[in-house]
Every structure is written in C-alpha cells, then in structure tokens.
Amino acid sequence: MAGESFGKEQVAKALALATGKEEKEILSALETPKDPKMGDYAFPCFTLSKDMKKSPAAIASEVKKKIDSLNKKIIEKTETAGSYLFIEKTEAVGPYLNFFIKKRHIAQSIISAIAEAPEKFGSARKKKEVVMVEFSQPNTHKAFHIGHLRNVVLGDSLVRISKFNGYSVVAANYMGDVGAHVGKCLWCLEKYHKGEIEKIPKEKKGEFLGEIYSEASRRIEEALEKGDKSLKEEAALVSKKLEEGDAKLTKLWKETREWSIEEFMRIYDELGVKFDVFFYESEVEKKGKKIAEELLKKGIMKRSEGAVIVDLKKYGLDVFLILRSDGTALYATKDLALAEEKFTKYKIDKSIYVVGSEQKMYFQQLFKTLELMGFAKAKNCYHLAYGLVMLEEGKMSSRQGNVVKYRTLFDEVFKKAGKEIEKRHPDWGKKEKEEAARKISIAAMKFGMLSQDNNKPIIFNIEKALDFEGDTAAYVQYAYTRASSIIRKNYEENKEKITLEDAKDADFSALSSESEKELCKKLSDFPAVCEKAAAEYKPFLLPKYLLELSKDFSAFYNECPIIKAEKETRKARILLLESARTVFKKGLELCGIEVLERM
Ligand code: ARG
C-alpha cells in the first residue's frame, strides 16, 4: 500500500489535463501549504511560465478557469470525472493555484484505506534488496552507557522501518571483544581484585567488569600524570600475552567476555531489540590479516615504513592504516574481513553501519577501500552517524567520570515513571503499576534518543522526557490511550461495537470540521513519512510525525463530541478514532515503542 494521499493524485490529474504537462512532474511540484486557509494543495505556476511564456499569476488564473469549467461540466462517469469531483474550489493567489478538497472525500479515502488493511497501512511492496543494518557494537569488558543506547535505538528503528518498507533486513551486531581495552581490564582485575569475583552475583558481573575497566583507566592515567609509565606498560604486557595465546589469560578472557555479553543480552531483552547475526571482532581478526597480505600482493595496498597502508590521497582522503609495522591487526584490518563476510556470505545489497560521528573519516576510508577491493556493492555502504548523549547537569547523582551507564539512567527513569503512575492510579495492583512504568520508561528513553536529528548531540533531561504534555513518548502514548478509552466508554454507554470493518457503509459527511479534516490529512501523510525515513535513513522523522499527529488528534478530541454525538456522526468519529489508533500504534512500533490501553 503506497501513499494513499486523498486527492493529491486527483489534483495532479486535473492539472495535467488542464495544462498538458506530465502528471508525474506536477505531482512532484505540488506543495502542501502550511496554512490550511491556503488550501490543501498549492501548485506553483512559475514551473509553467517558461513553456507558456506568461507570468505565473496570469497562468494561475488561466488554469483556474479551465479546471473550474471542467469541474462543472463533468457529470458523466469517466476515468477522470472522479478527480474533479474531489475538488471543492480553487483559488488563484499570486503565482499559486490553490486547491481545496471536499472534506468528506478526505475522510472517506483515508479511513477506507486504513480499514482495508490496518496492519499494512503505510507499508511498501516487497523489494528484492537485502539490507544489513549493523548496530550496537559495544565493547566487552567496558560499561554499556547511554551513547550505546542511542545507537541501539537508532539501529533497531531503522531495521523496523526498512522491513515495513519491503526490504529483507538482517539485523547485525558486532561486538568488540578483543583489543587494548580487554588487556587493561584483565590487568586491573588480576592485580587488584582477584579474590572478589566469587562474591559478585552472576547477573552483576558484566557491570562489575565495566567498573574495573574504568578503574584501570583511572589508575593508569593518574600514574602517567606523575610521570610513572609502569602501570601502562604492565597493562600493555597483558594485552600482548593475551594476543600471543597465553593459556591462563585466554581462559580468563573467555570467561569474562561472557559476563559482558550476558549483560548486553539482558539490555537488548529489556529494550525488545532482536538481532539476526552476531559478529565478533575476535572472529574476523585472522581473516583480516590474510586479506591485507593478499591486497599487498595485488598492489592495492602498500608498505610504508613497515606498516601496510592504502593510499587514498587521490580521493581526497587520509592514508588508511591497515596493519602495524609489527604485523598486528588494527580496527581497520578486522573491518575488511567483516565486510567480505557481509557481502559474500550474506549477499547483501546495502550495508548500513550505525556508528558515532567521530568515526566519519574512518568510514569514508573504509568504504573507498572496499570499492578498490572490488566489492561492487561498496557504494551502497552507508555510515549512519550520530552525536553524543549527555545528561543535563545535576540531574543524575551516581556518575562515573563523565559516562552515564545505561543501567543508571534506566533506574532513574523507572523510579520517576513509577511515581507518576502511583499518583495517577493509586488503586492499581503492583504488577499493573510496574508494567506501565516499564513501558513508559523504555518509551521515554527511546523517544528521547530518536526524536532528535541523529547528527545532533542530545542533552537528555529525565523530567522532560517523561512530561505527559511535552514533545515526548508519553504525550503520544497518552493520545493513543485517550482514543482507546473513548472507544471503551462508547461501548459501555451506547452499547455499540464499531470496528474498522464498519467503514464500508459509513457516511463520512459528518466529518466536516477543520480539526477533523486536519487529522485526516495528517493520517494520510503516514506512508510518505515511512518511505522517507527508510530511504534517507532518518528514523527521527517518525517521532516528529507522531508528535504532529498527537497535536492534531488533541484538537479533534477537544473540539468534537463523540459519545454524545448523533448516531451517524458518532459512527464516523469512532472510525476516525480507530484509524488514528492504528497509525499511532504502528508509528510507535516502528520506533520500538509499545502502547498502553490505560495510563
Ligand atoms: N566497537 C566499535 C567501537 O566501540 C564500533 C564498531 C563499529 N563497526 C564497525 N564495523 N567498525 O568503537
């Protein structure tokens, strides 16, 4: 089901007939005026002034005359008759020709489209392409912080949006389980905390490891400040021994690695995020080195002061370092092997990497190198970058340096959401309260992470994120809940059960107020928003849309009586409510957010 936007195609058809221009061209030129007083669609006539050799204003009134007379003349049922009959009136304003669509038609076409296939409304036809979204690539032996949360939320929603748009999607994770950070953590664990491990409960071990890593960094840093390099060297030695296959350290690495992975899995579970494949840096390291050797032979890479590099200067990029002069692997080495695995084993057409914006240059170098290696699909690689996440000063008590852990944020948000629920529903059972608080908390965090342009930094404010009246998940979830509660109430008071099935024989002429028309129009924008979010990798378009929809919904809700309205009007309005519920639910689902029937 594509963009079933009421009347837009019809307006384009009418304009095509009146001007002799291509319908497609007109369709892309048609604008939606910000002010509804200026009509539902506006056609900028300067696009025609070159061909018609007249001023845009003259063209506007000329075309207006043509369309108005066609509109009057056509009574018999022809292919295009319907198009004109949708148009209530036209107005020429300066260089613009504005179109007003009959309200009843707007409501009828959008509600019927939703009723026809509620689950599919807004989705696109199945496509051949396979898209891999690689996201959440946390490093083991380190804490999972709120920057990682932004990554997961972005990646997960892109997976959902791409699937909804008809792509076959592979959700991939790529954990950093080897490297200097592991050596540092194990060094500190062995040296200062040996006897403690047994005392830590199993489910806390991952977090414990994250704290050990921070401590290691702190200790090394402090020693360096005093001019003492010995700690840094000790940690580096652990890394080296581990890389050389030291049996004892390898055993400890394997055991501790599991602790982190278990912690990450718990977080994904809590967030309702699923992966189809898990890659690990440790598994692509050897292969990466082999690839580098081969490319060296082929002349795609070269030696420079002992190291292996790719010279990308002629593409305006920095030299790309692939292997150190001592032959050890780097971050880039592993990415070559990972890409090969993605392209050849998974046969993907598009490869999206959700990674912080500080790696922008790195991914330009990587993608160029993949192209030079001969991967035809390398030009379909995309780095979905995102900015930092910070907490507003003074809002969080337990901090670790300047990183805020995911768990700390969740606990804080959950506590506040719990209080809000307690205030609103003291009569609810414990389980019900907890469930609601959990859904609201996850939603608040996700929406907060998603509603900003991904390139901009986020300053997260817990209170604001939970505000039922702000630009928040709670505001959108609450709109859905209100729609649900009216439907329940109507059932109780009027003993009517109206479902979307009833749209077939409903009379929509009652939906004639401005707020009803605006709500219908907003609903009809949903397919285009979904399409754009997927095509341009912009998940934030969805929360933005859902906030607008909530505002239009509120206006309708406040202006139009429903339960007390007369029977036919009531039916039409309930159907509009059901349509809005459908879109709210689907839109939130695409953000990874659950709805509540009561809150
Ligand atoms: N684990 C890495 C980090 O924390 C991110 C990995 C991104 N993905 C990739 N294919 N390089 O910085």
Side-chain angles (χ1 to χ4, degrees):
M1 171 134 337
E4 187 87 25
S5 54
F6 66 90
K8 190 171 184 178
E9 281 84 9
Q10 284 83 354
V11 168
K13 245 184 209 162
L15 274 165
L17 266 180
T19 63
K21 275 257 162 195
E22 283 278 340
E23 197 184 309
K24 242 179 141 181
E25 240 173 274
I26 292 172
L27 209 53
S28 65
L30 271 180
E31 294 172 9
T32 310
K34 285 242 150 55
D35 181 358
K37 284 194 200 75
M38 304 301 282
D40 298 300
Y41 297 106
F43 182 66
C45 293
F46 33 78
T47 51
L48 298 177
S49 58
K50 220 170 147 195
D51 292 357
M52 295 174 68
K53 301 204 171 46
K54 274 182 199 156
S55 78
I59 297 171
S61 47
E62 188 177 309
V63 177
K64 173 182 164 53
K65 265 187 216 133
K66 271 196 197 164
I67 288 186
D68 291 350
S69 85
L70 278 169
N71 212 13
K72 259 190 226 125
K73 255 190 263 165
I74 297 177
I75 329 149
E76 74 264 45
K77 269 205 154 121
T78 65
E79 239 302 283
T80 46
S83 325
Y84 305 102
L85 299 175
F86 270 89
I87 299 167
E88 188 165 83
K89 61 170 180 174
T90 57
E91 264 172 17
V93 182
Y96 283 95
L97 181 56
N98 298 338
F99 290 83
F100 294 77
I101 309 290
K102 285 184 185 156
K103 291 179 180 115
R104 185 165 66 89
H105 281 293
I106 297 179
Q108 174 143 23
S109 70
I110 181 64
I111 295 174
S112 309
I114 294 174
E116 202 177 286
E119 263 305 301
K120 287 199 184 132
F121 178 72
S123 67
R125 235 183 293 125
K126 192 120 197 69
K127 298 177 175 63
K128 285 199 303 291
E129 284 113 312
V130 180
V131 181
M132 182 177 276
V133 182
E134 182 213 293
F135 66 106
S136 190
Q137 314 90 328
N139 292 333
T140 63
H141 301 80
K142 275 187 167 186
F144 196 100
H145 57 71
I146 53 177
H148 293 115
L149 174 63
R150 187 175 192 180
N151 182 320
V152 180
V153 175
L154 264 174
D156 179 55
S157 79
L158 193 64
V159 167
R160 293 167 186 263
I161 293 167
S162 306
K163 278 187 186 159
F164 196 54
N165 271 277
Y167 293 101
S168 298
V169 184
V170 186
N173 196 320
Y174 176 51
M175 288 184 197
D177 58 345
V178 284
H181 64 284
V182 178
K184 228 156 112 178
C185 179
L186 297 187
W187 160 75
C188 187
L189 184 66
E190 290 264 80
K191 183 163 175 173
Y192 304 102
H193 300 277
K194 233 179 163 168
E196 290 166 35
I197 301 172
E198 288 73 35
K199 289 182 227 134
I200 316 271
K202 199 165 173 280
E203 67 281 359
K204 287 275 169 208
K205 282 187 169 160
E207 277 180 61
F208 168 71
L209 222 47
E211 273 153 36
I212 299 291
Y213 173 82
S214 307
E215 182 189 321
S217 300
R218 203 182 58 238
R219 283 182 186 276
I220 291 170
E221 210 53 50
E222 279 168 9
L224 283 175
E225 271 164 28
K226 289 187 207 121
D228 174 8
K229 283 194 213 152
S230 66
L231 298 191
K232 190 177 175 206
E233 282 161 8
E234 281 175 26
L237 189 66
V238 173
S239 281
K240 188 161 180 283
K241 274 164 78 182
L242 185 59
E243 203 163 313
E244 287 164 0
D246 179 282
K248 221 179 108 222
L249 275 173
T250 304
K251 186 167 168 274
L252 185 62
W253 167 66
K254 279 194 178 144
E255 191 189 346
T256 49
R257 173 184 180 274
E258 275 326 297
W259 300 349
S260 290
I261 295 175
E262 268 171 34
E263 186 209 347
F264 301 159
M265 296 300 183
R266 253 196 309 279
I267 295 173
Y268 299 145
D269 232 31
E270 185 162 86
L271 294 172
V273 172
K274 293 195 175 68
F275 292 95
D276 302 305
V277 277
F278 286 88
F279 298 117
Y280 296 93
E281 284 192 27
S282 62
E283 288 173 355
V284 283
E285 192 167 280
K286 263 207 196 103
K287 180 97 179 285
K289 282 194 203 176
K290 231 177 90 196
I291 294 176
E293 302 294 344
E294 283 161 17
L295 293 173
L296 195 57
K297 274 187 219 142
K298 281 192 196 156
I300 292 169
M301 294 186 180
K302 64 181 188 188
R303 271 203 196 281
S304 166
E305 293 165 31
V308 176
I309 61 152
V310 192
D311 189 354
L312 298 172
K313 271 202 234 81
K314 65 168 167 282
Y315 306 105
L317 298 169
D318 291 349
V319 162
F320 198 30
L321 187 60
I322 304 290
L323 282 178
R324 284 199 197 88
S325 51
D326 65 1
T328 50
L330 288 152
Y331 185 49
T333 328
K334 292 173 267 188
D335 257 321
L336 300 183
L338 179 69
E340 173 163 298
E341 179 94 354
K342 289 182 182 180
F343 283 126
T344 48
K345 188 163 163 207
Y346 290 88
K347 302 201 170 32
I348 58 171
D349 299 293
K350 277 192 196 172
S351 187
I352 296 155
Y353 296 72
V354 183
V355 185
S357 43
E358 68 282 357
Q359 294 191 30
K360 197 164 169 230
M361 181 58 164
Y362 171 80
F363 278 104
Q364 285 176 357
Q365 293 171 307
L366 177 66
F367 298 162
K368 193 41 128 187
T369 303
L370 295 177
E371 217 179 296
L372 297 175
M373 284 165 72
F375 287 113
K377 302 275 167 66
K379 56 180 186 312
N380 298 342
C381 285
Y382 184 79
H383 172 203
L384 178 61
Y386 60 89
L388 285 178
V389 185
M390 286 162 285
L391 274 201
E392 207 150 279
E393 207 54 54
K395 295 282 175 198
M396 184 82 90
S397 47
S398 48
R399 280 179 185 229
Q400 281 213 328
N402 48 10
V403 285
V404 179
K405 288 184 293 178
Y406 164 80
R407 186 56 57 200
T408 317
L409 177 69
F410 177 84
D411 289 348
E412 199 83 2
V413 176
F414 186 72
K415 211 168 71 199
K416 290 229 162 76
K419 273 193 195 139
E420 186 66 38
I421 288 293
E422 186 63 56
K423 216 164 67 197
R424 288 166 179 259
H425 303 285
D427 53 316
W428 283 7
K430 186 168 175 266
K431 243 188 151 170
E432 203 179 359
K433 281 181 196 160
E434 256 179 37
E435 180 63 6
R438 191 189 59 79
K439 279 189 184 174
I440 292 170
S441 307
I442 302 276
M445 292 194 302
K446 287 187 172 180
F447 202 87
M449 296 293 155
L450 214 55
S451 55
Q452 304 276 342
D453 181 326
N454 50 283
N455 289 300
K456 297 198 180 123
I458 291 178
I459 299 173
F460 195 88
N461 177 313
I462 297 177
E463 249 121 70
K464 276 193 197 145
L466 284 169
D467 185 353
F468 276 48
E469 245 103 75
D471 285 349
T472 59
Y475 181 63
V476 181
Q477 284 175 315
Y478 195 52
Y480 173 89
T481 307
R482 282 194 294 178
S484 297
S485 90
I486 300 181
I487 288 165
R488 274 198 310 271
K489 253 212 198 108
N490 184 52
Y491 182 65
E492 283 159 20
E493 285 185 24
N494 295 318
K495 298 281 166 283
E496 285 174 329
K497 200 167 171 71
I498 299 165
T499 69
L500 283 172
E501 301 262 312
D502 300 310
K504 288 192 285 290
D505 48 22
D507 174 7
F508 293 104
S509 51
L511 303 182
S512 58
S513 73
E514 224 24 78
S515 66
E516 287 165 314
K517 182 171 162 182
E518 285 310 303
L519 179 56
C520 288
K521 273 174 73 178
K522 192 61 76 187
L523 288 172
S524 75
D525 289 342
F526 184 60
V529 172
C530 293
E531 194 186 319
K532 192 166 174 184
E536 298 179 11
Y537 313 114
K538 284 180 180 158
F540 68 87
L541 293 175
L542 267 158
K544 192 170 156 271
Y545 167 80
L546 288 169
L547 287 172
E548 290 165 11
L549 183 64
S550 305
K551 288 189 181 120
D552 288 341
F553 174 80
S554 276
F556 159 67
Y557 179 92
N558 292 329
E559 277 166 30
C560 303
I562 298 169
I563 298 174
K564 302 261 174 290
E566 151 298 306
K567 197 160 191 280
E568 265 315 300
T569 307
R570 192 163 68 221
K571 182 173 173 184
R573 288 187 176 153
I574 293 276
L575 286 169
L576 179 54
L577 273 184
E578 280 292 6
S579 303
R581 272 178 87 232
T582 305
V583 173
F584 274 129
K585 189 168 181 199
K586 182 56 80 180
L588 285 170
E589 189 188 307
L590 294 176
C591 300
I593 294 173
E594 292 173 273
V595 294
L596 295 90
E597 293 305 326
R598 293 164 214 267
M599 71 189 273

